[in-house]
Amino acid sequence: MSNLPVDSLAKAATIARGLAMDAVHASQSGHLGLPLGCAEIGAVLFGSALSHCPAHPEWMNRDRFVLSAGHGSMFLYAWLHLSGYREITLDEIKRFRQLGSKTPGHPELEFEHPPTGVETTTGPLGQGVANAVGMAVGAKMAEARFNTAEHKIFDHHIVCLAGDGCMQEGVAMEAVEFAGHQQLDNLILIYDSNAVTLDAMAKETQSEDTAKRFEAIGFDVETVDGHEMEAFAAAFERAKKAGSGKPQLIIAKTLIGKSIPEVAGTQKAHGEAGAKFVEAARKALGLPHEPYFVSDEVRSFFAAHEKQLDAAYASWCKTFEAWKAKNPKLAEELAGSRAAAFTNLFGNEKGARALDTAALLAAVPEFPAGTKIATRKAGQDVLQPLAAKETLLVGGSADLYGSTLNYIGKPGEDDFKPGHRSGRNIRFGIREHGMCSIMNGIEAHGIFRPSGATFLVFADYCRAAIRLAALSHLPVIYIFTHDSVGVGEDGPTHEPVETVPGLRVIPNLDVIRPGDPEETAGAYVAALEHQSGPTLLALTRQAVPLLESIPAKTRREGVLKGGYIAKKESAPLDLILLSAGSELQHAMKAAETLGPGTRVVSIPCFARFDRQPKAYRDEVLPASCRRRVSIEATVTSTWAKYVGLDGASVGIDRFGMSAPGAEVMKQLGMTPEKVVETARSL
């Protein structure tokens, strides 16, 4: 690229190296290797190649840059600062890794706040790669849903920088295999190939031919010297304009820790070991003694570049306004997205859209008397009218649509795939971890609301992605079925007993285990309503009865509150039975035997119940009644906070067994009789 301002970009790379050195040296922690080794890559991306707008980081059509190798966070912070992102000031650079700073040890997405240039939370290796694939899916969906023949408002790329560690993680490989199959040609993956991992040289743990591997799964691949800016810029430009219908991989050969000779090219550059050599390194780079130095020349260069970016944004805004005028229905639909919440382009006040919960509940017909179906089947019936109202909701399954029953529309007729990017259903294949990480990327992209399904026992495969969704406040929805030993014949490998309690302890994750079809209706609406974190629906394989003695309105609205009184006592209260999920029926049956002083409380979602006002919680579970028994087909530990020291829990503190589900339930004590026996023993 003959017009590339190489001299200015080289000076910017030197400044970025200095900022990284100073920040890591000051905090005495952090990673210097990638920020130093990839400085020229950063200069080309942020000084020339990326389509973004620091003055408007919320721009919906911006290129998304994902630093999957999140341990190299000072790379991202330095370039965001130099290119003009207002949130990442020099003072924030100076507060790297300090309490309350906007420059934490690993990049953290603040999903509930306006964008700052950090597109997703990274650090656990491989997650950023999968998130980037999800963003590429979201971008393709946006193009198909909202672009018209006259106006193209979405045409951006997803750019991801990953290292050897990311490439070794299984979740990244699940995601890139999916990307290759889906022909996501808006994805550009940059592999910082420096031949080093944390413990040793990379040759000690890998020997594959990365180029051939990626070519085999459907990528275009080019290898360049990552320090030759013109060569890298040309490769990046070719990747953007490839037109091959394939995702792109640029293998950039770099020297980790470049500019600190004592550690460069070795595993010592992976941490802060090079920090003690910073003074000599800064001097060799020609930087003044003053720490955190940014020259006027580099400031001026990026100020001029930012004006060009502003002009491109302004031009897009004109196209957007013309599109909005011609397509009011599409504009109204897009206005309901999270991306629209932080822009005034729709003439609305900034802030997340509040859902009409009552309208969503009303959209789902009540189940007819005598219904006895699995809550996964009830979920199928509930999902369709809700998806008709919430048109930005998309779904997926890890090769289990026939079992999880969460296909939106008529099964098989609306798949997301090349040639049909408007499809609302994604076939992830047998890639549970990849699915959940890709879902995080779709949500972080900001237009569509993703949901995804598998069997509940495989939540263990997904846990790292679920945790990051909760940490980042991403409102993704998990529809996980086959939720207990009621699975039966498949045996303990497929019977989750510890899974629900293990998920309940993740902060900011709503785990909802509904007890019948009407509670399932409330659970789906609750999941859509919850926009500050993820929701997991745990649904049964086995049929459960419609609990008609409880009004449908009470069941639905009770789930929204997390817990409610399912059966009120008719005499002075002396016993409370508690339950969640399919065992609620047993608590209701046991109450008939235990007498008029017995209350039944359903708590399908601990987290939602715990968020209710204390007055409501005390009304449902009055402290004056200490005789309490819970029943749920899980390990009993998480019920302790509700049953107290004087109560007891009926549960399954062991693994399951292979037999018909009803027999397993009975054998393991999931019966009204066991509840009665336990209550009388108090």
Side-chain angles (χ1 to χ4, degrees):
M1 297 179 66
S2 58
N3 60 343
L4 191 73
V6 174
D7 288 344
S8 295
L9 294 179
K11 291 173 182 175
T14 296
I15 294 296
R17 284 191 169 102
L19 292 176
M21 290 179 186
D22 292 335
V24 172
H25 182 261
S27 69
Q28 290 299 298
S29 72
H31 176 87
L32 275 174
L34 184 145
L36 300 184
C38 291
E40 285 80 13
I41 292 173
V44 171
L45 292 176
F46 287 90
S48 175
L50 289 178
S51 177
H52 65 133
C53 187
H56 295 279
E58 78 285 354
W59 181 21
M60 287 185 286
N61 196 41
R62 68 190 181 275
D63 286 345
R64 271 68 166 177
F65 175 78
V66 175
L67 179 65
S68 186
H71 51 273
S73 57
M74 264 310 304
F75 171 91
L76 181 59
Y77 303 145
W79 290 112
L80 291 179
H81 172 68
L82 292 176
S83 55
Y85 282 82
R86 295 359 180 214
E87 294 283 328
I88 310 300
T89 64
L90 197 58
D91 283 340
E92 292 297 336
I93 298 288
K94 293 176 181 178
R95 297 204 307 137
F96 176 58
R97 289 183 164 231
Q98 303 309 301
L99 183 65
S101 77
K102 295 178 180 178
T103 51
H106 294 85
E108 295 177 17
L109 171 66
E110 297 183 6
F111 190 76
E112 293 183 295
H113 304 285
T116 63
V118 176
E119 300 287 0
T120 185
T121 299
T122 57
L125 295 177
Q127 293 291 334
V129 172
N131 290 177
V133 172
M135 292 178 190
V137 170
K140 285 293 184 185
M141 286 182 164
E143 291 173 11
R145 183 77 67 93
F146 296 107
N147 285 353
T148 64
E150 188 177 0
H151 300 107
K152 184 183 289 186
I153 61 169
F154 289 113
D155 63 349
H156 54 276
H157 285 77
I158 313 302
V159 182
C160 178
L161 178 59
D164 289 285
C166 291
M167 303 293 264
Q168 287 189 9
E169 286 286 357
V171 66
M173 292 303 103
E174 288 183 26
V176 296
E177 288 167 2
F178 172 88
H181 176 73
Q182 284 285 349
Q183 300 174 27
L184 299 177
D185 57 0
N186 57 345
L187 173 68
I188 302 174
L189 177 60
I190 304 166
Y191 171 24
D192 171 29
S193 179
N194 55 39
V196 174
T197 60
L198 192 150
D199 263 355
M201 301 304 289
K203 67 181 181 181
E204 301 300 328
T205 54
Q206 64 186 41
S207 53
E208 67 180 34
D209 187 322
T210 303
K212 289 182 179 178
R213 180 178 189 178
F214 273 77
E215 287 169 356
I217 61 175
F219 275 64
D220 285 334
V221 181
E222 183 170 356
T223 301
V224 298
D225 184 333
H227 302 299
E228 292 291 336
M229 288 188 290
E230 288 183 306
F232 174 78
F236 189 84
E237 188 69 12
R238 284 191 291 273
K240 267 199 164 184
K241 298 179 178 179
S244 64
K246 296 180 179 182
Q248 305 292 305
L249 174 67
I250 300 174
I251 302 175
K253 297 293 185 178
T254 64
L255 180 68
I256 190 171
K258 190 175 189 295
S259 302
I260 302 182
E262 291 84 353
V263 299
T266 74
Q267 64 265 31
K268 292 180 181 178
H270 233 291
E272 66 273 7
K276 61 185 176 182
F277 306 110
V278 159
E279 288 190 19
R282 294 179 88 263
K283 185 176 181 180
L285 286 170
L287 292 168
H289 184 68
E290 172 193 350
Y292 304 103
F293 173 77
V294 181
S295 68
D296 291 340
E297 183 178 357
V298 167
R299 291 279 188 214
S300 297
F301 170 79
F302 277 103
H305 183 55
E306 190 174 354
K307 288 182 180 179
Q308 296 174 349
L309 299 175
D310 289 344
Y313 171 75
S315 176
W316 178 87
C317 286
K318 290 180 181 179
T319 300
F320 179 82
E321 291 299 328
W323 169 85
K324 189 170 67 169
K326 285 285 186 72
N327 304 280
K329 289 186 178 179
L330 285 177
E332 182 181 2
E333 185 178 21
L334 183 57
S337 68
R338 183 261 176 186
F342 299 110
T343 176
N344 54 15
L345 291 172
F346 296 90
N348 61 315
E349 293 186 9
K350 295 183 180 180
R353 175 178 67 106
L355 292 184
D356 187 341
T357 303
L360 290 176
L361 288 172
V364 181
E366 290 188 12
F367 288 86
T371 296
K372 186 174 183 180
I373 56 175
T375 55
R376 61 169 174 155
K377 179 61 176 73
Q380 180 184 40
D381 297 338
V382 169
L383 175 62
Q384 305 311 318
L386 292 179
K389 291 185 72 68
E390 292 297 311
T391 58
L392 296 180
L393 178 70
V394 297
S397 188
D399 199 49
L400 286 170
Y401 272 127
S403 294
T404 53
L405 306 179
N406 65 307
Y407 197 95
I408 297 173
K410 190 173 181 180
E413 292 191 355
D414 196 24
D415 286 3
F416 171 82
K417 58 186 177 182
H420 188 60
R421 296 302 194 189
S422 60
R424 295 179 70 179
N425 299 277
I426 306 169
R427 296 186 183 275
F428 286 104
I430 306 90
R431 302 182 179 102
E432 296 90 352
H433 195 178
M435 174 182 73
C436 290
S437 299
I438 290 169
M439 286 164 57
N440 286 353
I442 295 172
E443 184 60 75
H445 182 262
I447 306 297
F448 294 92
R449 183 85 181 270
S451 60
T454 186
F455 292 165
L456 179 62
V457 76
F458 300 136
D460 288 339
Y461 285 179
C462 312
R463 192 179 180 92
I466 294 172
R467 180 178 184 272
L468 284 177
L471 190 155
S472 303
H473 297 267
L474 296 171
V476 301
I477 299 171
Y478 312 103
I479 302 170
F480 288 2
T481 67
H482 296 56
D483 72 339
S484 74
V485 296
V487 169
E489 291 87 347
D490 281 337
T493 61
H494 281 56
E495 294 171 357
V497 292
E498 81 291 359
T499 309
V500 164
L503 291 165
R504 282 175 177 150
V505 300
I506 297 177
N508 202 41
L509 171 65
D510 281 5
V511 178
I512 309 180
R513 188 166 180 255
D516 85 334
E518 292 296 352
E519 281 201 355
T520 303
Y524 270 78
V525 172
L528 289 170
E529 179 192 61
H530 186 44
Q531 298 183 65
S532 60
T535 299
L536 187 147
L537 307 179
L539 307 177
T540 68
R541 176 200 186 191
Q542 76 277 15
V544 295
L546 192 66
L547 300 175
E548 297 174 53
S549 63
I550 314 170
K553 185 174 187 290
T554 299
R555 280 170 281 168
R556 292 182 175 199
E557 295 181 356
V559 175
L560 296 179
K561 293 181 178 180
Y564 66 99
I565 299 173
K567 182 181 184 299
K568 181 79 170 174
E569 66 281 3
S570 57
L573 177 64
D574 71 348
L575 174 66
I576 300 175
L577 304 181
L578 305 95
S579 189
S582 56
E583 292 69 63
L584 178 59
Q585 60 180 305
H586 302 320
M588 295 291 289
K589 187 72 174 175
E592 297 174 7
T593 301
L594 288 166
T598 301
R599 172 182 295 190
V600 179
V601 171
S602 174
I603 310 184
C605 182
F606 289 17
R608 292 184 78 94
F609 182 68
D610 291 347
R611 290 198 298 269
Q612 299 306 311
K614 185 176 185 300
Y616 176 78
R617 288 182 279 122
D618 288 345
E619 178 186 344
V620 174
L621 293 175
S624 59
C625 183
R626 298 176 62 163
R627 294 185 68 239
R628 303 179 183 187
V629 176
S630 69
I631 177 171
E632 188 182 26
T634 64
V635 298
T636 56
S637 56
T638 54
W639 281 99
K641 66 178 178 179
Y642 297 132
V643 300
L645 296 176
D646 297 326
S649 291
V650 177
I652 304 175
D653 290 310
R654 52 155 288 177
F655 289 113
M657 56 183 65
S658 180
E663 292 182 25
V664 176
M665 284 285 198
K666 184 177 180 180
Q667 181 70 23
L668 296 179
M670 295 298 102
T671 64
E673 292 77 16
K674 183 65 174 178
V675 175
V676 171
E677 175 190 339
T678 303
R680 287 175 173 168
S681 72
L682 292 179

